[in-house]
Amino acid sequence: MENDKLIQNTIVFVKQQLLNAEGGHDWFHIERVYKNTLAIAKEEQCDLLICQLGALLHDIADSKFHDGDEEIGPKTARDFLISEKVSEEVIEHVIKIIKNISFKGGNFEKQFNSIELQVVQDADRLDAIGAIGIARCFNYGGFKNRTIYNPEIKPSLTMSKEEYKNSDSPTINHFYEKLLLLKDKMNTESGKKIANKRHEYMELFLEQFYEEWEGRS
């Protein structure tokens, strides 16, 4: 019951913090990642509480919306968990999940690993692919006023973390720079299975997109 109360308090806190967040990184994103986390965790030997807290707090203050500040998220999460009298061991683990979950151009090496991180990371990545991933991708592109597609601007697969963070390339390029790469970066077997289906959907979408772009369909 104590853990249930903590989770409920965390949900209330996250909803308040993300009240006016961008549509792809709002409470509903957190809720979907949380549901994905619970589904994947059933198949893994992991600490469920750490997975739950990691999922709920992983985007509590995304650096993209805070001038690139990568410390505000971990600090916000830590302050909340301290206020809830969570043990330092659990807090440290959750903070390490928050700091190491992001894609960051695909050339970022995790400084920490655990089965709990793997579960939450897979859950988060699943929300970046498939139908919802496509919707989030274009929503964020519109939020940043990016071009939908420009055939003259090719995707870059060798971006550093900083280049990836500062990129303003067309939204379609993001499929090649991140979304289509995620299937092969999944950690868990259940995550991989779901990712394969969502990956196929994105490939079909791109086929249709290019046919329409060229006036062939």
Side-chain angles (χ1 to χ4, degrees):
M1 287 301 291
E2 206 171 291
N3 285 355
D4 290 345
K5 177 66 173 171
L6 172 59
I7 295 303
Q8 287 307 310
N9 288 350
T10 306
I11 288 171
V12 169
F13 173 71
V14 173
K15 282 184 175 180
Q16 289 172 342
Q17 289 290 117
L18 299 181
L19 196 57
N20 297 307
E22 179 266 334
H25 298 81
D26 57 5
W27 160 250
F28 295 111
H29 162 63
I30 302 299
E31 185 178 45
R32 292 190 302 270
V33 172
Y34 183 66
K35 289 176 181 176
N36 289 341
T37 294
L38 294 180
I40 296 171
K42 285 181 184 176
E43 309 297 323
E44 304 296 331
Q45 295 292 321
C46 58
D47 185 314
L48 182 59
L49 177 63
I50 289 173
C51 289
Q52 289 174 296
L53 292 173
L56 289 170
L57 294 166
H58 81 279
D59 261 349
I60 193 63
D62 192 310
S63 63
K64 287 193 292 292
F65 308 104
H66 293 85
D67 298 320
D69 184 350
E70 295 184 5
E71 293 304 317
I72 188 170
K75 183 183 185 308
T76 302
R78 177 181 288 281
D79 289 347
F80 167 74
L81 293 173
I82 289 173
S83 75
E84 291 292 318
K85 298 181 171 52
V86 176
S87 73
E88 182 59 26
E89 182 183 5
V90 170
I91 292 175
E92 272 303 308
H93 201 151
V94 172
I95 296 305
K96 286 175 179 175
I97 288 174
I98 295 170
K99 287 185 173 182
N100 287 274
I101 193 172
S102 293
F103 178 73
K104 297 178 182 174
N107 299 311
F108 167 74
E109 280 194 31
K110 289 185 286 192
Q111 305 300 310
F112 167 79
N113 201 5
S114 71
I115 185 59
E116 290 79 16
L117 169 59
Q118 291 176 14
V119 168
V120 180
Q121 189 173 57
D122 278 6
D124 186 38
R125 287 177 171 176
L126 286 175
D127 204 53
I129 59 179
I132 286 175
I134 292 170
R136 290 182 68 212
C137 185
F138 283 101
N139 186 79
Y140 186 71
F143 177 78
K144 299 294 285 187
N145 198 30
R146 291 178 179 170
T147 305
I148 291 176
Y149 176 53
N150 183 341
E152 295 179 5
I153 302 175
K154 303 303 180 187
S156 172
L157 302 180
T158 58
M159 286 187 286
S160 67
K161 175 184 162 185
E162 286 304 311
E163 287 171 333
Y164 178 80
K165 192 162 66 170
N166 297 317
S167 172
D168 60 355
S169 63
T171 298
I172 285 292
N173 287 20
H174 195 58
F175 282 79
Y176 302 95
E177 293 166 353
K178 178 181 179 180
L179 308 192
L180 294 172
L181 305 178
L182 293 180
K183 173 178 71 72
D184 294 329
K185 292 183 177 293
M186 303 299 287
N187 303 294
T188 65
E189 289 306 313
S190 48
K192 289 174 184 176
K193 185 176 179 182
I194 301 169
N196 283 334
K197 181 180 178 183
R198 297 190 183 193
H199 183 90
E200 289 175 5
Y201 186 88
M202 291 192 299
E203 290 182 322
L204 288 172
F205 169 81
L206 287 171
E207 282 180 28
Q208 181 69 20
F209 180 91
Y210 293 127
E211 283 191 9
E212 293 181 14
W213 188 272
E214 299 295 337
R216 299 194 308 264
S217 175

